[in-house]
């Protein structure tokens, strides 16, 4: 995940989401296209499609999408990210759930 580089989506952040797409089949895929959607009202999908091209057998390709998170998103809100990949007559979909922001305790400060 892009953004501020901490690996988490934070309120008000725009970030690149990278989803690896693997071809576990025995032959090269037809040209593949990945699409990202979300039903969350807290997320705007800025770049919702990624052309992956032919994915060789036993290989993979990264689908990169750009999203923005509403600045008013409550910390800990789980957002859904649905990825659909199609390649000719083949397809797969998966939904990931990503929490927005994290409350991290600074234990060093607590014991001083």
């Amino acid at each position: 995940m892009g953004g501020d580089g901490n690996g988490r989506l934070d309120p008000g952040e725009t970030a690149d989401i990278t989803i690896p797409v693997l071809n576990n089949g025995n032959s090269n895929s037809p040209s593949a296209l990945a699409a990202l959607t979300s039903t969350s009202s807290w997320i705007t999908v800025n770049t919702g499609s990624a052309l992956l091209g032919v994915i060789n057998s036993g290989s993979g390709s990264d689908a990169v999408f750009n999203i923005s998170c509403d600045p008013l998103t409550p910390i800990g809100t789980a957002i859904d990210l649905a990825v659909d990949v199609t390649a000719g007559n083949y397809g797969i979909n998966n939904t990931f759930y990503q929490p927005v922001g994290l409350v991290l305790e600074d234990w060093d400060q607590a014991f001083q």
Side-chain angles (χ1 to χ4, degrees):
M1 180 176 302
D4 65 7
N6 68 0
R8 295 185 309 267
L9 186 61
D10 296 314
E13 186 171 50
T14 295
D16 287 334
I17 304 293
T18 302
I19 307 291
V21 178
L22 303 175
N23 177 356
N24 294 326
N26 293 320
S27 61
N28 294 347
S29 76
S31 186
L33 177 68
L36 178 80
T37 58
S38 178
T39 61
S40 175
S41 61
W42 301 108
I43 293 297
T44 300
V45 177
N46 302 314
T47 306
S49 64
L51 183 59
L52 304 175
V54 172
I55 302 174
N56 294 330
S57 175
S59 275
S61 183
D62 287 338
V64 179
F65 307 100
N66 186 269
I67 65 172
S68 295
C69 187
D70 187 301
L72 300 177
T73 306
I75 297 294
T77 299
I79 55 138
D80 64 299
L81 298 170
V83 179
D84 292 304
V85 179
T86 57
N89 293 327
Y90 302 96
I92 190 167
N93 56 51
N94 201 347
T95 300
F96 303 90
Y97 295 90
Q98 176 72 38
V100 174
L102 288 177
V103 177
L104 299 175
E105 182 61 49
D106 185 352
W107 295 106
D108 289 336
Q109 294 294 325
F111 292 105
Q112 288 185 9

